[in-house]
Amino acid sequence: MGTTEEAMNFYKSVFGGEFTILQRYKDIPGGEKMPIEEQDKLIHISLTTPKGHVFMATDVLESMDQKITAGNNCRIAIHTESENETKKLFTGLSAGGKVEMPLNKTFWGAFCGMCTDKYGIQWLLNYTYPLNK
């Protein structure tokens, strides 16, 4: 736990690329209320490789009663093209499974949700809203 930044720097050294998002818990709304030892942990980091692959990660937090066990430390991320596509896929994947984060508009400018399907596979569905120019 708490090694996400170290791991992502390792993956960057292997695959190359740049961090396109690096956000700590202390930088999010309400982050100042978290335990001080967890505020520098990562809520989200994205590494985009030169070939366009995106690796995303977050730290596991004891204060949120999160624990790493074999199998729960990886999630398949699907980037969708619309809210409707996101809803359709999320509804299908979560049927008979468990919703960890219901679909919602996020403070990072996306429509996102997380679930585990009935086979135990973890999913993250994310539609990033277009930037207003």
Side-chain angles (χ1 to χ4, degrees):
M1 286 190 293
T3 59
T4 297
E5 191 165 5
E6 178 183 333
M8 292 297 280
N9 278 309
F10 170 72
Y11 299 140
K12 182 178 178 183
S13 76
V14 173
F15 292 100
E18 296 298 325
F19 294 124
T20 51
I21 299 173
L22 194 151
Q23 191 169 40
R24 298 182 189 284
Y25 280 95
K26 68 182 178 185
D27 299 324
I28 66 167
E32 72 282 353
K33 297 175 187 170
M34 297 181 68
I36 193 77
E37 64 275 6
E38 292 183 343
Q39 290 184 14
D40 276 332
K41 301 294 183 196
L42 296 173
I43 186 171
H44 184 80
I45 185 170
S46 288
L47 171 65
T48 302
T49 70
K51 292 191 175 193
H53 302 288
V54 178
F55 297 96
M56 298 187 305
T58 187
D59 276 309
V60 171
L61 301 181
E62 288 184 19
S63 68
M64 293 184 171
D65 200 29
Q66 299 171 335
K67 308 234 183 297
I68 292 179
T69 55
N72 80 347
N73 57 341
C74 187
R75 190 175 291 275
I76 299 171
I78 304 292
H79 291 272
T80 59
E81 295 182 11
S82 68
E83 280 190 19
N84 285 338
E85 179 188 17
T86 308
K87 289 175 187 175
K88 179 183 175 195
L89 293 174
F90 191 84
T91 299
L93 289 167
S94 63
K98 179 182 176 188
V99 173
E100 283 90 25
M101 182 178 112
L103 286 173
N104 66 87
K105 293 180 180 181
T106 66
F107 63 87
W108 63 84
F111 185 63
C112 184
M114 294 186 291
C115 66
T116 300
D117 70 22
K118 61 186 173 184
Y119 301 105
I121 304 301
Q122 296 185 327
W123 297 89
L124 179 148
L125 285 96
N126 189 83
Y127 168 64
T128 301
Y129 294 107
L131 295 174
N132 294 333
K133 295 186 178 191

